[in-house]
Amino acid sequence: YDDDPASTDDFHSHGTHVAGIMNSTDATYRGIAYGSTRAVNLKAAFKASDGQGYMFDSDAMAAVQWGLTSAVMHVINLSFGADATSDDSDYVRFWDAVVDDRGVLAVIAAGNSGTKQGAVNEPGILWNGLSVANVYDHATIGRSDDTISSSSSRGPTQGGRKKPAVEREQECERV
């Protein structure tokens, strides 16, 4: 591996990028959680010698378990997944249980498998959380021209459920 499991540093940079999207305090490029004073880094993935990021389901579950017992968490973002081979799995049930049992919102990436039907990643196929598409912002600050990216995974799931749950920010009520 090209990583250090004892370090919280993000050697792949993906988690850092996502954290910036969530927590940016820049006046022009405000984060989704602009004004939030807390974020917890739960590092579960690693950078391999091929330069790609990888993660074991068990590492993600251990990180979430640590976070739930060591911090106050209301939202968990996971932007990591793998091809779904069915409409359910133990890993998906884990995420559904986190939402149901702990009252935490799980926001999980739908994936980057493009426009082919049924390409939403696991655990993005979860029943009780939000799976989120990636968006092309057309290099503008305003959100009115944002569209779902051609690289974003699409549903329905193998069981016919509509996913991703959130495709475009302007279709959602702002809180």
Side-chain angles (χ1 to χ4, degrees), residues 7-94:
S7 172
T8 59
D9 289 346
D10 177 10
F11 294 98
H12 189 259
S13 301
H14 182 76
T16 302
H17 180 85
V18 172
I21 291 170
M22 292 172 17
N23 299 305
S24 172
T25 59
D26 184 272
T28 302
Y29 302 103
R30 290 181 171 204
I32 301 301
Y34 185 80
S36 173
T37 59
R38 294 188 307 208
V40 179
N41 175 17
L42 303 177
K43 179 181 176 180
F46 58 91
K47 180 181 176 185
S49 56
D50 65 2
Q52 297 298 307
Y54 296 93
M55 182 183 71
F56 297 110
D57 296 351
S58 58
D59 289 342
M61 293 187 288
V64 169
Q65 183 62 38
W66 179 90
L68 291 171
T69 58
S70 303
V72 176
M73 297 190 335
H74 301 285
V75 179
I76 299 173
N77 175 72
L78 176 70
S79 55
F80 224 103
D83 290 341
T85 57
S86 70
D87 201 44
D88 197 11
S89 72
D90 290 340
Y91 189 45
V92 171
R93 290 178 188 188
F94 166 82

Side-chain angles (χ1 to χ4, degrees), residues 27 33 40 55 71 89 113 131 151 160 162 168:
V40 179
M55 182 183 71
S89 72
S113 297
S131 61
S151 65
K162 182 179 178 175
R168 293 180 60 190

Side-chain angles (χ1 to χ4, degrees), residues 116-129:
K116 68 180 182 176
Q117 293 287 314
V120 176
N121 283 350
E122 177 182 303
I125 61 170
L126 78 166
W127 291 80
N128 300 326

Side-chain angles (χ1 to χ4, degrees), residues 107-175:
V107 180
I108 301 178
N112 297 317
S113 297
T115 60
K116 68 180 182 176
Q117 293 287 314
V120 176
N121 283 350
E122 177 182 303
I125 61 170
L126 78 166
W127 291 80
N128 300 326
L130 294 175
S131 61
V132 182
N134 65 63
V135 173
Y136 177 50
D137 66 6
H138 298 276
T140 64
I141 294 173
R143 295 183 173 155
S144 63
D145 64 344
D146 293 358
T147 57
I148 188 168
S149 176
S150 62
S151 65
S152 187
S153 294
R154 316 291 162 95
T157 66
Q158 292 184 25
R161 293 179 292 118
K162 182 179 178 175
K163 291 287 181 175
V166 178
E167 294 179 0
R168 293 180 60 190
E169 192 270 332
Q170 61 262 31
E171 293 175 0
C172 301
E173 179 180 337
R174 290 195 61 106
V175 180

